[in-house]
Amino acid sequence: MIYLAAIFVYLFVLVGIGIYTSRRVKTESDFAVAGRTLSPWVMVCTMLAVWIGTGSIVGNAEETYRTGMAAMIIPAGTFFGMILLSFIASRARNIEASSVPEIIGRRYGRAARLLSVVALVTAYMVIVSYQFNAGGAVLEVIAGDKDPVLLNRDDTLTARQLTKGRMVYTPPQDWTGTVQLAVVSTQDSGKSIPYTIHVVENNTSAAADDKNILTILKNRHAKIRYSIDDTDSDYRIAAAAEVGTLSLIEPRLEASHATIMAAVFILAYTMLAGLLSLAYTDIVTGILIIGAMVAALPVLLYQAGGFSGMAEAFAAMQNKTRHMQFWGVYSPVQLVNYLLPVFLLILGDANQYQRIFAGRNARSSRQAVTTMIFVAMAIELLIITNAWIAASMTPDPQNGKYILIYAAKHYMPPVLGIVFLVTVVGIIVSTANSFLLIPAITFIKDVYQTHINPKATDRHVVFLNRVLILVFGLIAYGVSLAFSESTGFFHKALYAYTIYGAAITPSLVAAIVWKRATRQAAMASIIAGIAIPLLWGEVISPHVSGWLKELDAVLPAITVSVAALVGVSYLTQPTMTQTPSESK
């Protein structure tokens, strides 16, 4: 329980900082852009903390567990996106805006501004939702499991226990052979559902898992995950293992309860002091990220037995024989699917622009973004390398889903493990805070103050921001319930990045650097960027073939969005010839 105690101490420290800095929040500018007082050093820390979020520490690590060394190419999207962002950072800071839709509205008008708000809120609710899921996952993994309970014939289990790997088979020492299990539904006792476990020698290439069939190496246990259609019924064990033992292992803290705990804390903390408190707690988080990732690398590599030990371990695992290979694992289509969403997000991310707006001046903003090019790239590579090494020691895919969290608890010395887990929690909290704060600030600035109450006082605006953080947090929690049982963190992140990057980034960048873009073109681009990702999976993708069928929504979405922006711009007359910075 020392890990949970350390995390709670860290969270109480964050609350203390939030309460202290909340006293300094007097105006809308304090809440939204930290009073435009951030130095380059503080900006780098807060930009790093918000960018290295759950998508990196959980999502990229999860993908690394699946593919191995090849995942080191994933940060390339961040690297090239940051390079381009550095060229426009000073221009963006000179605009003196408070939100990304405000820049779009100054250039293209109110309708485009409202559309950009819709796109931003839609994407950010998805992002916040999986921060809640990730916070719950951390608490669940750290809390650990209850003591195993032996199972016998005629014992009853729920569908969730069967599908989530709560039932565990342990073969005898050095035994190989085949075990047959079976369950029957309590509502349809005539239909038996079999499950086969093959235990093979360590030098045998284990076959891939099939439906209700599992192959494991000897002296390893098997977490049984049934594939069943009726998830509303309970199930009775009709045939138990004749050799070995069958146990039920339940977590001390269920993921659903842990997610609620994480969401409540994140909401309460975000409501305290806005960007002002986040920026200064991010100094601590930024330092922890760098220190923890650097320190963990040699420790994990030693535990894994060096690169030779990793190669041997991967060769013995199911579906991991290519984990020591960099080239040839990802197809060109997969590289597009994985790199392009991240590139588009970083180039237009409202969180990064919010911190650019909060800089003391254009020069400090440019310095911070330039530094971030190398810092973010290094940290993302460290995250992936640590996950890759830890994967070689973790054959169970259930633990691989949260590989770095699991590694901190099981492979690192307690002191380093505590620091590492505190870092993970800090990353999740910082990212969730930021992605909750931006929609609230955006809605107040670009909808309420623009269309409903332009004369709202600073005190009233700060109060409404806090109310909206609560409202958006509840919406994001609802989205987390829909996502939590399906898509992994990596693909959740890519989907959200695609919606935002295709809808917002082209019009935003054009508003800053391209005078020919027109109001009609921006609206067409934003609508296309929202529509294509929403329609691609269920409506469009089933009707294409070949390599197009392998594409995620990102390439079609950005292609149509940019084509609409450029094409409509040349078909219509500019309605506004000034750049946002000139139209103040």
Side-chain angles (χ1 to χ4, degrees), residues 110 113 443-454:
R110 289 188 174 186
R113 186 174 187 172
F443 192 88
I444 293 296
K445 179 71 176 179
D446 300 289
V447 178
Y448 183 77
Q449 288 183 284
T450 302
H451 300 283
I452 301 173
N453 187 4

Side-chain angles (χ1 to χ4, degrees), residues 522-535:
M523 292 177 62
S525 175
I526 294 170
I527 292 172
I530 298 173
I532 298 298
L534 296 178
L535 296 175

Side-chain angles (χ1 to χ4, degrees), residues 335-351:
L335 290 176
V336 171
N337 290 342
Y338 295 170
L339 302 186
L340 189 55
V342 179
F343 171 82
L344 293 174
L345 177 70
I346 194 67
L347 193 56
D349 182 19
N351 279 299

Side-chain angles (χ1 to χ4, degrees), residues 218-255:
K218 71 177 184 181
N219 298 327
R220 293 184 178 173
H221 65 267
K223 288 192 175 182
I224 298 167
R225 295 176 180 82
Y226 264 93
S227 176
I228 55 179
D229 298 324
D230 183 6
T231 57
D232 295 326
S233 174
D234 289 339
Y235 290 82
R236 178 176 58 83
I237 298 176
E242 295 181 359
V243 180
T245 60
L246 195 63
S247 306
L248 179 67
I249 301 179
E250 297 272 58
R252 288 193 176 93
L253 183 61
E254 284 288 347

Side-chain angles (χ1 to χ4, degrees), residues 268-353:
Y269 180 62
T270 308
M271 292 168 65
L272 278 173
L275 186 59
L276 191 62
S277 66
L278 295 183
Y280 287 97
T281 55
D282 283 347
I283 296 176
V284 178
T285 304
I287 293 172
L288 283 176
I289 292 172
I290 297 171
M293 294 303 156
V294 171
L297 182 62
V299 172
L300 290 175
L301 191 59
Y302 175 79
Q303 292 278 5
F307 293 112
S308 60
M310 291 171 58
E312 292 177 7
F314 283 135
M317 290 185 195
Q318 302 172 20
N319 303 324
K320 290 183 170 57
T321 56
R322 301 175 71 189
H323 273 48
M324 297 297 290
Q325 183 176 335
F326 181 73
W327 294 111
V329 176
Y330 290 125
S331 68
V333 172
Q334 286 178 311
L335 290 176
V336 171
N337 290 342
Y338 295 170
L339 302 186
L340 189 55
V342 179
F343 171 82
L344 293 174
L345 177 70
I346 194 67
L347 193 56
D349 182 19
N351 279 299
Q352 302 301 325
Y353 282 90

Side-chain angles (χ1 to χ4, degrees), residues 186-234:
T186 56
Q187 297 180 9
D188 183 9
S189 58
K191 183 181 180 181
S192 176
I193 307 174
Y195 197 101
T196 303
I197 303 174
H198 300 292
V199 183
V200 299
E201 293 287 350
N202 291 339
N203 58 359
T204 304
S205 297
D209 297 352
D210 200 351
K211 182 178 181 180
N212 296 342
I213 300 175
L214 179 64
T215 302
I216 63 170
L217 303 178
K218 71 177 184 181
N219 298 327
R220 293 184 178 173
H221 65 267
K223 288 192 175 182
I224 298 167
R225 295 176 180 82
Y226 264 93
S227 176
I228 55 179
D229 298 324
D230 183 6
T231 57
D232 295 326
S233 174
D234 289 339

Side-chain angles (χ1 to χ4, degrees), residues 391-470:
S392 70
M393 299 180 282
T394 313
D396 187 351
Q398 187 67 16
N399 297 326
K401 187 175 182 180
Y402 314 115
I403 182 62
L404 287 180
I405 301 169
Y406 184 84
K409 187 177 179 183
H410 293 87
Y411 305 143
M412 299 181 193
V415 173
L416 178 58
I418 288 171
V419 172
F420 198 97
L421 287 174
V422 166
T423 301
V424 172
V425 171
I427 289 169
I428 293 171
V429 169
S430 178
T431 307
N433 291 159
S434 298
F435 280 94
L436 264 177
L437 184 66
I438 295 301
I441 292 172
T442 297
F443 192 88
I444 293 296
K445 179 71 176 179
D446 300 289
V447 178
Y448 183 77
Q449 288 183 284
T450 302
H451 300 283
I452 301 173
N453 187 4
K455 296 182 180 180
T457 64
D458 282 332
R459 183 176 181 180
H460 184 60
V461 168
V462 171
F463 172 76
L464 285 181
N465 267 299
R466 287 171 170 151
V467 171
L468 270 181
I469 286 170
L470 177 61

